[in-house]
Amino acid sequence: MNNVFGKKFCITTWGESHGAAIGVVIDGMPANVEVDIDEINQALSKRAPGNSEFTSPRKEKDLVEILSGMFNGKTTGTPISLLIKNCDADSTKYEVIKDKFRPGHADYTYTKKYKNYDYRGGGRASARETASRVAASVFAKKILDPEGVSIKAYLQQVGDICIDYPYSKLNAIDDDPIFCPDPKISKDIQNSLRKIKDAGNSIGGIVSFDCANVPPGLGEPIYNKLEAALANAMLSIPASKGFEIGLGFAAAKLTGKKHNDEMFIQNDKVLYDTNNSGGILGGISTGERIYGRVGFKPASSILQKQNTIDNRGNNTALELPKGSRHDPCVAIRGVKVVEAMCYLVLADFILQI
Amino acid sequence: MNNVFGKKFCITTWGESHGAAIGVVIDGMPANVEVDIDEINQALSKRAPGNSEFTSPRKEKDLVEILSGMFNGKTTGTPISLLIKNCDADSTKYEVIKDKFRPGHADYTYTKKYKNYDYRGGGRASARETASRVAASVFAKKILDPEGVSIKAYLQQVGDICIDYPYSKLNAIDDDPIFCPDPKISKDIQNSLRKIKDAGNSIGGIVSFDCANVPPGLGEPIYNKLEAALANAMLSIPASKGFEIGLGFAAAKLTGKKHNDEMFIQNDKVLYDTNNSGGILGGISTGERIYGRVGFKPASSILQKQNTIDNRGNNTALELPKGSRHDPCVAIRGVKVVEAMCYLVLADFILQI
Amino acid sequence: MNNVFGKKFCITTWGESHGAAIGVVIDGMPANVEVDIDEINQALSKRAPGNSEFTSPRKEKDLVEILSGMFNGKTTGTPISLLIKNCDADSTKYEVIKDKFRPGHADYTYTKKYKNYDYRGGGRASARETASRVAASVFAKKILDPEGVSIKAYLQQVGDICIDYPYSKLNAIDDDPIFCPDPKISKDIQNSLRKIKDAGNSIGGIVSFDCANVPPGLGEPIYNKLEAALANAMLSIPASKGFEIGLGFAAAKLTGKKHNDEMFIQNDKVLYDTNNSGGILGGISTGERIYGRVGFKPASSILQKQNTIDNRGNNTALELPKGSRHDPCVAIRGVKVVEAMCYLVLADFILQI
Amino acid sequence: MNNVFGKKFCITTWGESHGAAIGVVIDGMPANVEVDIDEINQALSKRAPGNSEFTSPRKEKDLVEILSGMFNGKTTGTPISLLIKNCDADSTKYEVIKDKFRPGHADYTYTKKYKNYDYRGGGRASARETASRVAASVFAKKILDPEGVSIKAYLQQVGDICIDYPYSKLNAIDDDPIFCPDPKISKDIQNSLRKIKDAGNSIGGIVSFDCANVPPGLGEPIYNKLEAALANAMLSIPASKGFEIGLGFAAAKLTGKKHNDEMFIQNDKVLYDTNNSGGILGGISTGERIYGRVGFKPASSILQKQNTIDNRGNNTALELPKGSRHDPCVAIRGVKVVEAMCYLVLADFILQI
């Protein structure tokens, strides 16, 4: 079950970048919850390529069809089947490079594993699959909303340009074309991205997530820890290379005296002096904000010429055709996928209780 | 199944720090494999506390008993039950602090979740559970040895002192008291640790792992990616706060042109100019070394006085009794646990094929 | 994951009787296998209602769409999404009875569980879901064909009329309108069914399955025994009420001397005097034919008046409208579903090795 | 995970008939439940061999050790490890027959699968493993007791001698040496068993179970139906050959008019005229008694001479040594195992809600 995610809120995704459609089956959605198809389409449009000058110009309308699991506008408790047709899949561009293994892509590893390769847009390995996750996350959000849980992700770094981590003013993220909450830094990143794009190159980035109002006591011990489930979720996103919770790797430089979050009681509420742990201790939520970061590598598709091999065992060079679609920084769209994975993981843990 | 790890090579661990014993049941070990009990005991002694001046002085002989699954010195294919008695568990020290939630520990979160707490040494949340993982990993190693897979972990950073990452000379790790492959840097770290320890404080660290000779094509797509399984495994280790594969977060600063590993053919072998990806693309091994890092926070138990609350809702202060056991840097013992998790994950994926 | 079946060959079905469509996602199908869409459609047409005078007159063309997982006529190793549109779903007939709990149906139990009910044709609880299983089983068959495994199911009993069990002449099953291999008994059953149907009544039946050429050593111990997996599979079929392997309940009357299958060697082959065990011992195949039976209750939908209650808590009577669709013996269509479940289970175990 | 049973109340059993010990790890037991070790030992003694003249004379004291998961007499929510030492395992008797495949046993199938065989008392395939299930079921019972669920199993048939099914007077089962609720029929069966035993033969039997006060709405749809989970559970018991729920196979002879359980309201309670369905419709409990039957074959070990083959490929004969332990009817001890499986399944479903 390699295409299934979650234990109680369980999604199975299917579909290739250039097949007829992609989709997801949600098994475990509670009954009697109102879900509006427009809300799913809006979430999809936030993640979709072609939204700004900084994402791939592939234009997918990404309109979802709900094929099962709802009756009279409410979920019934049975599996929800969502289908998104592939409309703007142009496979012809891939014909000329179909025998070459693109560096940084999964072309070679899929070929070694499966003894075949769907070269059309990366096939199943394409980030297009993440649209299914975003669609499913709208249902997950409905489980979290009544608990008051609020989730936000944002672009925290691109190349050398970054904002503070963790960042505290998380209001205007969705208004920014690259989901960066600091307008000035956002402009700097955008300027940098234009140069990267013009050079036919790409650049990495870091996405941070922030989950507020998670009740204390959520999570499971030992091999189903909340942070481990988040790590697993984030590393399942294409191009992700790292995960940290709370201060993460920076904690390696600190002493226990400095890192430990001291507790106190005020007005009958349990509070913490600091939240270096990122809201999780021993795999279980503390009641503080759960925050962390996900590192993304630069997109592997670049317009510059690269050395590689072909599937007949020859050394060769790869140069994508002029006008090829090209995503200068996948971390931008990664913001909405990181957010979706937070919804999926937390909803799953709420249901596991 | 929160105490179960793995899909085909599946371990279930049990036991508390100060209970009668801890143990693990391995379900999925192939039949007819010779395993020597001494090899398990040696692996346990490497992880055990009390090995050096830099780990907790708790002295556990950690002798394993094999209760099932073997006949005439070989595995039979049935579940292997391993038991390790707790011999040096001294619970009296914990009596005086049993009503106080220790900052940085899981005392409060476990209490919120379970409405009870086994205060004796952290109970189930104790790092003692990792002895079971190390014991099980000896069996996992037997699955990987015939494939030629070779796994090593090492201490890469403590506080501000670090060696290169990834480090290439991985010969003498086990001879070093803190598992650091550079003798000079090891000495520097040891000197630093002595000061930390004398101050009754602790410090964080980073452990790196390196898996050589992993065949290309290992791993599964989308939600069972090799790097996601490793991330999940590493974040299940107590005190771990971050995971990265390959260049990890540093990839955020690079361009695609720089980060992409170009391929070439030499003497009929597929080779790469660089290995920035860390040996995995699209969730599947490339044939290159699989390497990454795990960040550990400083141990939460320190001898200095800290503010906290008690289980009756009062503000209070915590000061561990003089002579309390105290681990100045849990990343040191983390080395052997990170190594064990690599064995468990890779063996599981070999069997999933 | 209540809509997921299988461990390695894993299907997730979705869809309601009167929704837009039903479908299934297959996760775990091996790569590079040719599958012809016509073969799936033929399998569906065998199971479909409206095939004979003895099944419900609902006419579903049941044409499948393959939305993912195949490229150039072969499977790729990625999930296969199959979709079957609901064409002849006439919900108006159900409007008049929508407030009444139909005796023998899941109306009441679903309402108690989900606090809602999709009254249109039984919703998710409808036998229509089994079309997805039959479609998926065509892929499972492709895994078993190279092993030489041959699977057949047949109608063994209806009411008091039955053929021998196990039956040995399994050639002409598919030519018979009710899948009974004995033409004379088939005629008797058909005559009986006409009377049952004319009376607006229904009747139960027993389906037997027979799996030839299953290699010895297939199956897993203790909690994943081959016979337990088959039992679980068969009891997941709507209207099934019993399962037995080999002589089953009849073994209760026998002595060990009589029941034990003695072994002997002939021409270097391991053979058995008898096959009372039904080809499985200790959860693992013996190499003999795997056979067993599945008991089906009479269809719950009858045209005769019945006492029941409504969803407002009143006693009432239920009388289906004149001309309501009505299946006199669900065991007939059950034959093809039992066969499909054999394919799904055995393919799953082959892949689990 | 072939030695793991359950989804939320999850047991992992381990151990061979003649190893050092057997045991079980329970993962998923709720916290803060009082469990008395004496209650476990009493349950074990009911299942134990050597209880009467009709079970194997192997005398196992079967005293359980609780190694983890409890603190101050209550469960903590962490895994519970139970260990039962093998005291009366006499392997010498098996030396003389160790090269011969015993008819009806798993000797040959295990050898084909694992390429080895632990001939000492059947190894892992021995019914001794069921002691672990009975021990775990005491914990499951603690989950069901507060719900008012009451479970009883009884011997319903041996050879041709049987009591009514379903049987209604279920008071005095535990006082009867063979767990048959009708004293007169019990005597008849006992007389018959004495003859069987004296002849060195064995005989099959049928065990019935009855679960009262199960709330309506328990169970899951499609592939996790309550009846399918019970079928899977029962067919995992050694020597079981069939399962039926409600009228089971007898329903094949009935019409819908006769089989359907009509509903009515009386004093605001939902009631049924009959309970032919056995308390489950569509995989979900109706609120009526859940009852069914499990068919057991005669014990494979008999004292009479049988033809078989040896592990070198020769035809030979098997004659157990004089005085070999010998269970004339495994269905007797099966009663307590069927009961245990009901506890395990229903507790698991309660926790799945």
Side-chain angles (χ1 to χ4, degrees):
Chain A
M1 293 196 288
N2 301 314
N3 299 280
V4 178
F5 183 82
K7 289 169 186 283
K8 291 281 283 186
F9 186 89
C10 171
I11 68 168
T12 303
T13 71
W14 55 268
E16 287 81 44
S17 181
H18 288 223
I22 60 167
V24 55
V25 182
I26 306 171
D27 193 2
M29 179 68 199
N32 307 311
V33 179
E34 281 186 49
V35 180
D36 186 349
I37 194 167
D38 291 342
E39 201 173 336
I40 310 173
N41 286 328
Q42 280 160 29
L44 286 171
S45 88
K46 281 282 174 198
R47 188 217 69 99
N51 262 338
S52 79
E53 55 180 315
F54 308 111
T55 56
S56 160
R58 175 171 174 172
K59 297 260 185 237
E60 286 289 0
K61 272 177 307 187
D62 278 356
L63 292 177
V64 78
E65 295 173 53
I66 304 176
L67 296 175
S68 69
M70 297 196 67
F71 188 41
N72 297 330
K74 289 187 182 173
T75 60
T76 60
T78 63
I80 292 156
S81 177
L82 304 179
L83 183 144
I84 305 165
K85 293 210 174 96
N86 289 330
C87 300
D88 191 26
D90 176 4
S91 303
T92 56
K93 289 268 170 54
Y94 292 91
E95 286 296 322
V96 293
I97 57 162
K98 71 176 183 180
D99 297 329
K100 297 178 180 180
F101 296 125
R102 295 170 299 163
H105 278 284
D107 304 5
Y108 175 70
T109 57
Y110 266 60
T111 303
K112 286 300 281 186
K113 180 174 181 65
Y114 294 113
K115 319 295 176 213
N116 73 62
Y117 192 64
D118 181 351
Y119 54 83
R120 304 165 305 162
R124 181 71 181 149
S126 165
R128 177 130 188 83
E129 184 269 345
T130 60
S132 295
R133 310 186 190 198
V134 170
S137 75
V138 174
F139 289 81
K141 186 173 183 296
K142 297 294 177 191
I143 296 166
L144 294 165
D145 282 348
E147 311 279 336
V149 177
S150 163
I151 296 173
K152 281 177 179 167
Y154 54 96
L155 191 65
Q156 191 256 329
Q157 180 171 333
V158 170
D160 288 312
I161 315 170
C162 64
I163 58 175
D164 286 349
Y165 168 73
Y167 201 77
S168 51
K169 293 180 202 148
L170 302 179
N171 303 319
I173 300 169
D174 275 354
D175 301 334
D176 187 78
I178 58 170
F179 307 119
C180 176
D182 180 312
K184 180 161 168 349
I185 301 286
S186 176
K187 283 280 174 286
D188 291 350
I189 294 176
Q190 292 178 46
N191 287 333
S192 165
L193 284 175
R194 278 187 201 99
K195 285 177 204 152
I196 290 283
K197 192 185 171 190
D198 290 347
N201 210 340
S202 64
I203 191 140
I206 299 178
V207 173
S208 181
F209 58 88
D210 183 286
C211 312
N213 305 322
V214 178
L218 193 69
E220 301 292 338
I222 313 299
Y223 298 118
N224 193 19
K225 288 177 173 167
L226 195 41
E227 65 267 46
L230 286 167
N232 177 55
M234 299 311 171
L235 267 294
S236 78
I237 303 174
S240 68
K241 300 301 288 184
F243 168 85
E244 54 187 15
I245 189 79
L247 295 194
F249 283 96
K253 300 192 174 188
L254 297 184
T255 63
K257 179 68 180 162
K258 193 120 186 201
H259 186 271
N260 279 352
D261 301 312
E262 293 189 337
M263 308 172 76
F264 63 97
I265 300 267
Q266 201 169 62
N267 302 328
D268 288 332
K269 288 193 66 175
V270 171
L271 297 170
Y272 296 79
D273 271 332
T274 50
N275 183 21
N276 296 327
S277 75
I280 304 178
L281 285 174
I284 299 166
S285 63
T286 64
E288 293 288 290
R289 301 175 94 80
I290 294 177
Y291 68 91
R293 297 203 302 174
V294 184
F296 287 88
K297 70 176 184 182
S300 303
S301 285
I302 57 175
L303 300 186
Q304 299 182 21
K305 193 173 181 176
Q306 298 177 91
N307 294 320
T308 190
I309 62 174
D310 67 21
N311 59 20
R312 290 176 305 271
N314 303 312
N315 288 310
T316 183
L318 175 83
E319 197 164 6
L320 293 181
K322 279 265 145 58
S324 289
R325 289 157 175 180
H326 161 238
D327 226 331
C329 180
V330 288
I332 299 172
R333 286 203 279 150
V335 168
K336 287 299 156 186
V337 185
V338 166
E339 204 169 274
M341 297 315 289
C342 287
Y343 281 120
L344 294 174
V345 169
L346 289 181
D348 196 25
F349 274 86
I350 288 277
L351 295 181
Q352 282 177 47
I353 294 174
Chain B
M1 294 195 286
N2 301 313
N3 298 281
V4 178
F5 183 82
K7 289 170 187 283
K8 290 281 283 186
F9 186 90
C10 172
I11 67 168
T12 302
T13 70
W14 55 269
E16 287 82 44
S17 181
H18 289 222
I22 61 167
V24 55
V25 181
I26 306 170
D27 193 2
M29 179 68 197
N32 306 311
V33 179
E34 283 186 47
V35 180
D36 185 350
I37 196 166
D38 291 342
E39 201 173 336
I40 310 173
N41 285 329
Q42 279 159 29
L44 286 171
S45 87
K46 280 282 172 196
R47 189 216 68 97
N51 262 337
S52 78
E53 56 181 315
F54 308 111
T55 56
S56 159
R58 175 172 175 170
K59 297 257 183 238
E60 284 290 359
K61 270 177 307 185
D62 278 353
L63 292 178
V64 77
E65 295 173 51
I66 304 175
L67 296 175
S68 69
M70 296 196 69
F71 188 41
N72 296 330
K74 289 188 182 173
T75 59
T76 60
T78 63
I80 293 155
S81 177
L82 303 179
L83 184 145
I84 304 165
K85 293 208 175 99
N86 288 328
C87 300
D88 191 28
D90 176 5
S91 303
T92 56
K93 289 269 169 53
Y94 293 90
E95 287 295 324
V96 292
I97 58 163
K98 71 176 183 179
D99 296 329
K100 298 179 180 180
F101 297 125
R102 296 170 298 163
H105 278 284
D107 304 5
Y108 176 69
T109 58
Y110 266 60
T111 303
K112 286 300 281 187
K113 180 174 183 64
Y114 294 113
K115 318 297 174 211
N116 73 62
Y117 193 65
D118 180 352
Y119 54 82
R120 303 165 306 162
R124 180 70 180 149
S126 163
R128 176 130 188 82
E129 184 269 346
T130 60
S132 295
R133 310 185 192 200
V134 170
S137 76
V138 175
F139 290 81
K141 187 173 183 297
K142 298 293 178 191
I143 296 166
L144 294 164
D145 282 348
E147 311 279 335
V149 177
S150 163
I151 296 174
K152 282 177 178 168
Y154 54 96
L155 192 66
Q156 191 256 329
Q157 181 172 331
V158 169
D160 289 312
I161 314 170
C162 64
I163 58 174
D164 286 347
Y165 168 72
Y167 200 77
S168 51
K169 293 182 202 147
L170 303 178
N171 303 320
I173 300 169
D174 274 355
D175 300 334
D176 188 79
I178 59 171
F179 308 119
C180 177
D182 180 311
K184 174 155 176 354
I185 302 287
S186 175
K187 284 279 174 289
D188 291 349
I189 294 175
Q190 293 178 46
N191 288 332
S192 164
L193 284 174
R194 278 186 200 99
K195 286 177 203 153
I196 291 283
K197 192 182 172 191
D198 290 347
N201 211 340
S202 65
I203 189 136
I206 299 178
V207 173
S208 181
F209 59 87
D210 183 286
C211 312
N213 304 321
V214 178
L218 193 70
E220 302 291 339
I222 313 300
Y223 298 118
N224 194 17
K225 287 178 173 166
L226 195 41
E227 65 267 46
L230 285 166
N232 176 55
M234 298 312 170
L235 266 294
S236 78
I237 304 174
S240 68
K241 300 301 286 183
F243 168 85
E244 54 187 13
I245 188 80
L247 295 193
F249 283 96
K253 301 192 175 187
L254 298 184
T255 64
K257 179 68 181 162
K258 193 122 187 198
H259 186 269
N260 280 352
D261 301 313
E262 293 190 335
M263 307 173 76
F264 63 98
I265 300 267
Q266 202 171 60
N267 300 331
D268 288 331
K269 290 193 67 175
V270 172
L271 297 170
Y272 296 79
D273 271 332
T274 50
N275 182 22
N276 295 328
S277 74
I280 304 178
L281 285 174
I284 298 166
S285 62
T286 64
E288 294 288 291
R289 301 175 95 81
I290 295 177
Y291 69 90
R293 297 203 300 175
V294 185
F296 286 88
K297 70 176 184 181
S300 303
S301 285
I302 56 176
L303 300 186
Q304 299 181 21
K305 192 174 184 177
Q306 299 176 92
N307 293 320
T308 191
I309 63 175
D310 67 22
N311 58 20
R312 289 176 306 271
N314 304 312
N315 288 310
T316 182
L318 175 83
E319 198 165 4
L320 293 182
K322 280 265 147 62
S324 288
R325 290 158 175 180
H326 160 238
D327 226 330
C329 179
V330 287
I332 299 171
R333 286 202 279 149
V335 169
K336 288 299 157 187
V337 185
V338 166
E339 203 169 271
M341 296 315 288
C342 287
Y343 281 120
L344 294 174
V345 169
L346 289 181
D348 196 23
F349 274 86
I350 288 277
L351 295 182
Q352 283 178 47
I353 294 176
Chain C
M1 295 195 288
N2 302 313
N3 298 280
V4 178
F5 183 82
K7 289 169 187 281
K8 292 280 283 186
F9 186 91
C10 171
I11 68 169
T12 303
T13 70
W14 55 268
E16 288 81 45
S17 181
H18 289 221
I22 61 168
V24 56
V25 182
I26 307 171
D27 194 1
M29 179 67 197
N32 307 310
V33 179
E34 282 186 49
V35 180
D36 186 349
I37 195 167
D38 291 343
E39 202 173 336
I40 309 173
N41 286 328
Q42 279 160 29
L44 286 171
S45 88
K46 281 282 173 197
R47 187 217 70 97
N51 263 337
S52 77
E53 57 181 316
F54 307 112
T55 57
S56 160
R58 174 170 176 172
K59 297 259 183 238
E60 285 289 0
K61 272 178 307 189
D62 278 353
L63 292 177
V64 77
E65 295 173 52
I66 304 175
L67 296 175
S68 70
M70 297 196 69
F71 189 41
N72 296 330
K74 289 186 182 174
T75 59
T76 61
T78 63
I80 293 156
S81 176
L82 303 179
L83 184 145
I84 305 164
K85 292 208 176 98
N86 289 328
C87 300
D88 190 27
D90 176 6
S91 303
T92 56
K93 290 267 170 55
Y94 293 91
E95 286 296 324
V96 293
I97 58 162
K98 72 176 183 179
D99 296 329
K100 297 179 179 178
F101 297 124
R102 296 170 298 163
H105 279 282
D107 305 3
Y108 175 70
T109 57
Y110 266 59
T111 302
K112 287 300 281 187
K113 179 174 183 63
Y114 294 112
K115 318 296 176 212
N116 73 61
Y117 192 65
D118 180 352
Y119 54 82
R120 303 165 306 163
R124 180 73 179 147
S126 164
R128 175 128 189 84
E129 184 268 344
T130 60
S132 295
R133 311 186 190 198
V134 170
S137 75
V138 174
F139 289 80
K141 186 173 184 296
K142 298 293 177 192
I143 296 165
L144 294 165
D145 282 348
E147 311 279 335
V149 176
S150 163
I151 297 174
K152 282 178 178 166
Y154 54 94
L155 192 65
Q156 190 256 329
Q157 180 172 334
V158 169
D160 289 311
I161 315 172
C162 65
I163 59 175
D164 286 348
Y165 168 73
Y167 201 76
S168 51
K169 293 180 202 148
L170 302 178
N171 303 319
I173 300 168
D174 275 354
D175 301 334
D176 188 79
I178 58 170
F179 307 119
C180 177
D182 180 311
K184 177 157 175 348
I185 302 287
S186 175
K187 284 278 174 290
D188 291 351
I189 294 175
Q190 292 178 46
N191 287 333
S192 165
L193 284 174
R194 278 188 200 99
K195 286 177 203 152
I196 291 285
K197 191 185 172 190
D198 290 347
N201 211 340
S202 65
I203 191 139
I206 298 177
V207 173
S208 181
F209 58 89
D210 182 286
C211 311
N213 304 322
V214 178
L218 193 70
E220 302 292 338
I222 312 299
Y223 298 119
N224 194 19
K225 287 178 175 168
L226 195 41
E227 65 267 45
L230 286 167
N232 177 56
M234 299 311 170
L235 267 294
S236 78
I237 304 174
S240 68
K241 300 301 287 182
F243 167 85
E244 55 187 13
I245 189 79
L247 294 193
F249 284 96
K253 301 192 175 187
L254 297 184
T255 63
K257 178 68 180 162
K258 192 119 187 198
H259 186 269
N260 280 352
D261 301 314
E262 293 190 334
M263 307 172 76
F264 62 98
I265 299 268
Q266 201 170 61
N267 301 329
D268 289 330
K269 290 193 66 175
V270 171
L271 297 170
Y272 296 80
D273 272 332
T274 50
N275 182 21
N276 294 328
S277 74
I280 304 177
L281 285 174
I284 298 167
S285 62
T286 64
E288 294 287 291
R289 302 175 94 82
I290 294 177
Y291 68 90
R293 298 203 302 174
V294 184
F296 286 88
K297 70 177 185 180
S300 302
S301 285
I302 56 175
L303 300 185
Q304 300 182 20
K305 193 174 182 176
Q306 299 176 93
N307 294 320
T308 190
I309 63 175
D310 66 23
N311 59 20
R312 291 175 306 272
N314 303 312
N315 287 311
T316 182
L318 174 83
E319 197 164 5
L320 292 181
K322 277 268 146 58
S324 289
R325 290 158 176 181
H326 160 241
D327 228 330
C329 179
V330 287
I332 299 172
R333 287 203 279 151
V335 168
K336 288 298 155 186
V337 185
V338 165
E339 204 170 271
M341 296 316 289
C342 287
Y343 281 119
L344 293 174
V345 168
L346 289 182
D348 196 25
F349 274 86
I350 288 277
L351 295 181
Q352 283 177 47
I353 293 175
Chain D
M1 293 195 288
N2 301 313
N3 298 281
V4 178
F5 183 82
K7 290 168 186 286
K8 292 280 283 184
F9 186 90
C10 172
I11 67 168
T12 302
T13 70
W14 55 268
E16 287 82 44
S17 180
H18 289 223
I22 61 168
V24 56
V25 182
I26 306 171
D27 193 2
M29 180 68 197
N32 306 310
V33 178
E34 282 186 48
V35 180
D36 186 349
I37 196 167
D38 291 343
E39 202 174 335
I40 310 173
N41 286 328
Q42 279 160 29
L44 285 171
S45 88
K46 280 282 174 196
R47 188 216 70 97
N51 262 338
S52 78
E53 57 181 314
F54 308 111
T55 56
S56 160
R58 175 171 174 171
K59 296 258 184 238
E60 285 290 359
K61 271 177 307 186
D62 278 353
L63 291 178
V64 78
E65 295 173 52
I66 303 175
L67 296 175
S68 69
M70 297 196 69
F71 188 41
N72 296 331
K74 288 186 182 174
T75 60
T76 61
T78 63
I80 293 155
S81 177
L82 304 179
L83 184 144
I84 305 164
K85 293 209 176 100
N86 289 328
C87 300
D88 190 27
D90 175 5
S91 303
T92 56
K93 289 269 170 54
Y94 292 90
E95 287 295 325
V96 293
I97 57 163
K98 73 176 180 177
D99 297 328
K100 297 179 181 181
F101 296 125
R102 295 170 299 164
H105 279 282
D107 304 4
Y108 175 70
T109 57
Y110 266 59
T111 302
K112 287 299 281 186
K113 180 174 183 62
Y114 294 112
K115 319 297 175 210
N116 74 61
Y117 193 65
D118 180 352
Y119 53 82
R120 303 166 304 163
R124 179 73 179 146
S126 163
R128 176 127 188 85
E129 184 270 345
T130 60
S132 295
R133 311 185 190 200
V134 170
S137 76
V138 175
F139 290 80
K141 186 174 184 298
K142 297 294 178 191
I143 296 166
L144 294 164
D145 282 349
E147 312 279 334
V149 177
S150 163
I151 296 174
K152 282 178 177 166
Y154 54 95
L155 191 66
Q156 191 256 328
Q157 180 172 333
V158 169
D160 290 311
I161 314 170
C162 64
I163 59 175
D164 286 348
Y165 168 73
Y167 201 77
S168 51
K169 293 181 203 147
L170 303 179
N171 303 320
I173 299 168
D174 275 354
D175 301 335
D176 189 79
I178 58 171
F179 307 119
C180 177
D182 180 311
K184 172 151 179 353
I185 301 287
S186 176
K187 284 278 173 292
D188 291 349
I189 294 176
Q190 292 178 46
N191 288 332
S192 165
L193 284 174
R194 278 188 201 98
K195 285 177 204 151
I196 291 285
K197 191 183 172 190
D198 290 347
N201 211 340
S202 64
I203 190 139
I206 299 178
V207 173
S208 182
F209 58 87
D210 182 286
C211 312
N213 305 322
V214 178
L218 193 70
E220 302 292 339
I222 312 300
Y223 298 118
N224 194 18
K225 288 178 173 166
L226 195 41
E227 65 268 46
L230 286 167
N232 176 56
M234 299 311 170
L235 267 293
S236 78
I237 304 174
S240 68
K241 301 300 287 183
F243 167 85
E244 54 187 14
I245 189 79
L247 295 194
F249 284 95
K253 301 192 175 188
L254 298 183
T255 64
K257 179 67 180 161
K258 194 122 187 198
H259 186 269
N260 280 352
D261 300 313
E262 294 191 334
M263 307 174 75
F264 62 97
I265 300 269
Q266 201 170 61
N267 301 329
D268 289 329
K269 289 193 67 175
V270 172
L271 298 170
Y272 296 79
D273 272 332
T274 50
N275 183 22
N276 295 327
S277 75
I280 304 178
L281 284 174
I284 299 166
S285 62
T286 64
E288 293 289 289
R289 301 175 94 81
I290 294 177
Y291 68 90
R293 298 203 300 175
V294 185
F296 286 87
K297 69 177 185 181
S300 302
S301 285
I302 56 176
L303 301 186
Q304 299 181 21
K305 192 174 183 177
Q306 297 176 92
N307 294 319
T308 191
I309 62 175
D310 66 24
N311 59 19
R312 291 177 306 271
N314 303 312
N315 287 310
T316 182
L318 175 82
E319 198 163 6
L320 293 181
K322 278 266 147 58
S324 288
R325 289 157 176 181
H326 160 239
D327 226 331
C329 180
V330 286
I332 299 172
R333 286 202 281 150
V335 168
K336 287 299 156 187
V337 185
V338 166
E339 204 170 272
M341 296 316 288
C342 287
Y343 281 120
L344 294 174
V345 168
L346 289 181
D348 196 25
F349 274 86
I350 289 277
L351 295 181
Q352 283 178 48
I353 294 175

